[in-house]
Every structure is written in C-alpha cells, then in structure tokens.
Amino acid sequence: MKKSTYSIFLDEERCTGCTNCIKRCPTEAIRVRDGKAKILADRCIDCGECIRICPNHAPIPQSDSREKTKQFKYTIALPDPALFGQFKTKPSPRQILAAVLALGFDGVYEVAWAADAVSIAIREFIREHRGEGPWLSSSCPAVIRLIQVRFPSLTEQILPILSPVEVAAKLAKEETSWQLDIPQQEIGCFYLTPCPAQVTAIRAPYHLEHSYVDGALAISDLYCELREKIAGAREQGEPVKATALGLTWGRVGGQTRAVQSDNYLAVDGIYNLLQVLEEIELGKFDNNIDFLECQCCQGGCVGGAFTVENPFVARVTLRRMAGQLRPKLEAEKEQKVLEYNRKGYYRAEKEVEPYSIMSLDKDIAKAIYMVEQSEKILKQLPGLDCGSCGCPTCRTLAEDIVCGIATETDCIFKLREQVQSLAEQMLALALKVPPVTLVQRQIMKTQREVLELAKRLPPVLAKRNQKSNQKKGGEEE
C-alpha cells in the first residue's frame, strides 16, 4: 500500500488551538498538541471541512505553481466543468475556453467532453452488472479516500472507470502527439481544479499507477486573470465539444443525469455521505440502487475549496450555461465512444485499495493487545468527548495513549484527579513530620556537611582512604 499524502497544510502562526477543526473532521485526522493543530497524514482525505470551519484560516489548500508548466514543450489546460459556473458576467462557454487559452497555454481540452464519454462508459458498466450495486461514482477523490479510510469493505463497489480529468489528459496527449508529432512526455496537461483533493489524486492516483495529468492549478489562483481575459475574449477558435450533460458534471445531480440511470441516488455533503455509506455498509439498501453519485462538497464541484463563487449561484449559472450547448452526443460520436469502451479505454488499471489505518500496529497480535489496552484506558476516561485534550473523542485519546503520542494527563479531568491526589498525599506527609529539636537540626547539619566533603574528595584519594581505613581497622582488631 502506498504511503498516504494530502494537500492541506496548517499555518501554525494562524492556529490558536481552538479545537474547532478536530470536532468537524469526518475522519478524526486532526490533533491539537502544544496549542497547535496537527494533521495525521494517513487519515486526511482533503475534504476541506477544516478549511470551512476554521475562523483563523489556518488550513491552507495547496496546488501546483504555474512555473511547473515551463517544464514542458507543449502545455494543455484541462478546465473542470465547475469553472464555467464561476462568472456572474455570463460569458459563453466558448469565451471561457478562449480566456483559458489566453493564460499562456498551447491548447485547451475540455474535461466536460471527457465526462460525456465517461458517462456512457458508466452507463454500459451498470447495464452489464445490474443487480450487483449500488455502484459508487469514482470521480471525487475525497469520497474515494473517505471510503478507503472509513468504509474499506465498500471499495469493491467503487466503479472501475477512470475519472473525466484522467480521460481528458489521456485523450489530449494522444491526439496532440499524433497531430503535431510531439512525444507525449513533452506534453504537459494541467488541470484547473476546484478542490485540493484532485491535487492529491494526481500525485497519488487510485485507479492508475501514474496519472496522465502533470499538475493541478487552483481555479481561485487564476480567477482574477481569467476575468480580465474573458472581458477581451471573443467567440473564436474551435467550437465547444462538450454537451450540456457533460458540463453539468460540475454540480450535484449532473452525473446521474448524464449516466441516464433510472435507479440512482445523488448525495452531496460529507456528512450526508457518511450517513448513506453507513447504511450501505449495513446492507440496508439491499441492491435497491444501481448507481450512487457521491459528491463530497455541498452542491458538487462548484462548492470546492478552490472555487470563488457562491455554490448555489454557481449551480444556477452552470445550468443556464449548459442550455447554450447541444443536449447530448450525436449517435455517430456515441458509437465511437462505445467502440473505445469495448476496448477498455476508460477502465481503471487497478482496483482501489482499502486503508488499514484503524489498526494500531502492523503486527496483528500486538494490535489486538493495544486495542485491549485502549479499551481499558477508555473506561477510565470521562467519556464526554469534550476535545479539551486535543483529540476529537475519548476513544481517540485512548488510542493515542496506547500509541505513545499522548498521555493520560492530557485529559483535564484525569489531570485534576491526579493533582488532587498528589495534594492530599503531600498534606498527609506534612502532618506526619515530627517536631524538630535543636539537637536534631545540628545532627542533620553535620550530616549534610560530611556528605558535601565526601563529594569533594577525588576518586583516587577516596579509594586510598578507604584502604587505609580498612588497614587501620585490621590492626585495631
């Protein structure tokens, strides 16, 4: 299993240790130690909940720098469908694509167009595996990592279909290499991403050994420049390839509409997802649903941490913009996608692996022993889950104590008990001290002086005196 990574970092200067983030984190991935929040890398899923709840803006999502584009001879921008919902000035999709190109890229390839193809691949997979669901959508990396961390038994239900951005990068490199005779390794594809989870997915892909995407640029970092470019952009260049169905992948419900499944469920928001996934894990759905669209952010990708527009406004904007495009793929193009799908072009190279972070040690016997110990410690804790110890719950504190990264006195209630007990013992000892007479004080003073003199003797001299004393003792006898 690969080492886990994440794309959200904490600014310690901004962090005040308020513990708001540890209570909000859905995977219990944050601790507060020495007054500062710390992220546990193997538990963080880049959902962005800590970013939304922190009043001091200490969690900072990371993306790639535009300097990285200079490493490639030919660069292609991959705009996410959510980007099209970020502009209140109501530019056309073609104007937005022209503005993206004007940022300095050599080409633009629409992720929404790849979403059209992926929708058909998903539809075909569900048709071939009807009754084996519910199949979980695989496009949101934060959801995939949530399943890996908290619902590992459901990883088998994740659709083995590549995400639209990976398909877009794959197609863009192949087509550009063939058209311009440029080696694919000299072509750099850069995703204009709405969330930090996509940055992590590129660095550590879950369906591929190596991502086709070479970098991820935050939409929020490019927004101001894009607005200026849009103001001067004209309806030029190639027409938009994506359909209305592909463009609406940026909002919740867009995938289910594009897949055209008649037995589906669309869920957005991390806590809504937790509830639904728990019910699926318990078998409550009983194969009543074929397809579950999972969106970590409220409203879908338009609510990502790297977006700038209000997600509700962005949803409406995206819906209106989709009305400017043709409703779906033509029959000829759909046949071509189906042909690619039969060859396995959109299929994942590997299955999603579960994370075994909940085990306390790799050695099963040791892990079982540690669980038993943590259960014993948990019984001694107050069970209030107050968070004042820097852990989200008393159970996580017990686990941290067993792992050696926390102590029992981190709990203020246990600390108060121990301080009170220590104070009582000191008081009892003080009451047992007998009255000290002048003679006793003189004896104690003499003893201290003798000890101080003994300490000053050099080791050799002390040894010689010891032998001399022994010899004298022998003569006297």
Side-chain angles (χ1 to χ4, degrees):
M1 186 175 67
K2 289 185 178 180
K3 186 178 180 181
S4 181
T5 183
Y6 59 94
S7 298
I8 297 176
F9 295 89
L10 288 164
D11 186 340
E12 289 196 352
E13 292 186 0
R14 294 182 183 178
C15 180
T16 59
C18 65
T19 71
N20 281 341
C21 55
I22 67 171
K23 306 297 288 184
R24 187 69 179 176
C25 179
T27 55
E28 300 174 339
I30 305 177
R31 302 288 188 273
V32 175
R33 296 282 180 264
D34 300 324
K36 301 293 179 183
K38 312 285 183 186
I39 294 178
L40 304 181
D42 56 352
R43 289 174 180 254
C44 180
I45 62 172
D46 291 311
C47 64
E49 288 300 309
C50 55
I51 298 173
R52 298 182 181 96
I53 197 68
C54 181
N56 304 307
H57 308 291
I60 301 173
Q62 303 288 313
S63 62
D64 292 313
S65 166
R66 288 176 70 177
E67 288 294 313
K68 194 174 182 180
T69 59
K70 296 179 181 177
Q71 299 175 9
F72 298 90
K73 181 179 179 180
Y74 193 92
T75 55
I76 301 173
L78 309 172
D80 188 89
L83 174 69
F84 294 81
Q86 303 301 307
F87 305 98
K88 289 179 179 175
T89 53
K90 300 179 181 177
S92 68
R94 203 169 177 180
Q95 277 180 295
I96 294 173
L97 292 177
V100 171
L101 187 63
L103 290 175
F105 294 99
D106 298 305
V108 178
Y109 205 96
E110 302 166 45
V111 176
W113 160 248
D116 278 315
V118 170
S119 302
I120 295 171
I122 293 174
R123 188 183 68 201
E124 289 300 302
F125 181 88
I126 292 174
R127 186 180 60 79
E128 293 168 4
H129 298 81
R130 194 172 296 279
E132 301 174 21
W135 294 101
L136 312 178
S137 59
S138 58
S139 60
C140 178
V143 172
I144 297 299
R145 296 190 67 178
L146 175 69
I147 295 170
Q148 288 177 304
V149 171
R150 290 200 52 169
F151 306 97
S153 64
L154 298 182
T155 52
E156 296 178 353
Q157 294 301 121
I158 296 173
L159 280 167
I161 307 291
L162 295 177
S163 65
V165 64
E166 290 292 351
V167 172
K170 187 178 178 181
L171 286 167
K173 288 189 174 181
E174 290 177 355
E175 292 179 12
T176 304
S177 178
W178 181 76
Q179 292 170 359
L180 303 179
D181 194 22
I182 301 174
Q184 289 196 27
Q185 58 268 26
E186 295 182 5
I187 301 171
C189 286
F190 290 86
Y191 183 32
L192 309 192
T193 177
C195 79
Q198 295 287 1
V199 180
T200 304
I202 292 167
R203 295 171 182 169
Y206 45 87
H207 268 158
L208 297 166
E209 292 298 333
H210 301 285
S211 174
Y212 291 99
V213 187
D214 300 289
L217 307 177
I219 288 176
S220 53
D221 291 344
L222 304 172
Y223 182 71
C224 292
E225 191 176 352
L226 271 173
R227 284 191 62 178
E228 294 176 2
K229 301 291 185 187
I230 285 173
R234 297 180 179 177
E235 296 279 350
Q236 56 187 7
E238 295 184 1
V240 178
K241 295 171 66 176
T243 70
L245 293 175
L247 195 67
T248 52
W249 264 62
R251 50 175 293 210
V252 64
Q255 292 182 35
T256 52
R257 197 173 294 107
V259 171
Q260 300 174 11
S261 172
D262 54 356
N263 195 19
Y264 65 87
L265 193 64
V267 184
D268 64 328
I270 191 74
Y271 290 97
N272 294 331
L273 271 172
L274 284 172
Q275 184 179 355
V276 172
L277 292 174
E278 282 175 1
E279 292 187 9
I280 292 175
E281 192 173 48
L282 293 172
K284 291 186 177 180
F285 275 57
D286 197 23
N287 296 335
N288 288 326
I289 299 294
D290 290 329
F291 177 57
L292 180 65
E293 176 186 336
C294 305
Q295 300 273 11
C296 178
C297 295
Q298 199 78 38
C301 293
V302 292
F306 283 148
T307 57
V308 294
E309 184 56 275
N310 179 294
F312 298 99
V313 175
R315 285 174 61 181
V316 175
T317 304
L318 201 59
R319 178 171 55 82
R320 288 175 177 170
M321 194 169 291
Q324 302 176 32
L325 305 177
R326 64 192 193 285
K328 63 179 184 179
L329 285 180
E330 296 81 0
E332 182 183 351
K333 291 182 178 177
E334 185 170 335
Q335 283 302 318
K336 190 173 181 179
V337 172
L338 288 171
E339 184 181 341
Y340 270 58
N341 186 50
R342 284 192 288 272
K343 295 177 181 176
Y345 190 85
Y346 309 105
R347 294 297 289 266
E349 292 179 3
K350 63 177 184 178
E351 295 180 352
V352 176
E353 298 178 356
Y355 284 171
S356 57
I357 64 153
M358 297 305 175
S359 63
L360 299 176
D361 196 275
K362 292 180 180 178
D363 186 333
I364 296 176
K366 188 176 179 182
I368 293 172
Y369 173 76
M370 293 172 75
V371 168
E372 292 173 352
Q373 293 302 308
S374 67
E375 291 294 334
K376 290 180 182 176
I377 295 172
L378 180 61
K379 290 178 182 176
Q380 303 300 320
L381 297 176
L384 298 174
D385 296 339
C386 64
S388 58
C389 60
C391 297
T393 62
C394 291
R395 176 173 292 282
T396 52
L397 174 61
E399 292 173 355
D400 286 357
I401 292 171
V402 171
C403 291
I405 58 176
T407 63
E408 194 174 80
T409 52
D410 287 335
C411 172
I412 59 170
F413 297 96
K414 298 299 292 183
L415 178 63
R416 187 175 64 184
E417 285 179 10
Q418 291 195 16
V419 170
Q420 186 175 0
S421 174
L422 184 61
E424 290 173 354
Q425 290 178 32
M426 290 178 65
L427 179 61
L429 285 172
L431 294 174
K432 290 179 182 177
V433 173
V436 180
T437 65
L438 288 173
V439 176
Q440 287 173 324
R441 286 178 180 171
Q442 186 60 42
I443 292 171
M444 291 169 65
K445 182 181 178 183
T446 306
Q447 287 175 337
R448 283 197 296 271
E449 289 173 350
V450 170
L451 286 171
E452 287 296 324
L453 287 171
K455 288 179 182 176
R456 293 176 188 174
L457 288 174
V460 178
L461 184 59
K463 192 175 181 181
R464 190 190 309 158
N465 290 341
Q466 186 180 6
K467 287 181 179 178
S468 176
N469 293 335
Q470 288 176 354
K471 188 177 179 181
K472 288 179 182 179
E475 290 174 355
E476 289 175 1
E477 290 176 0

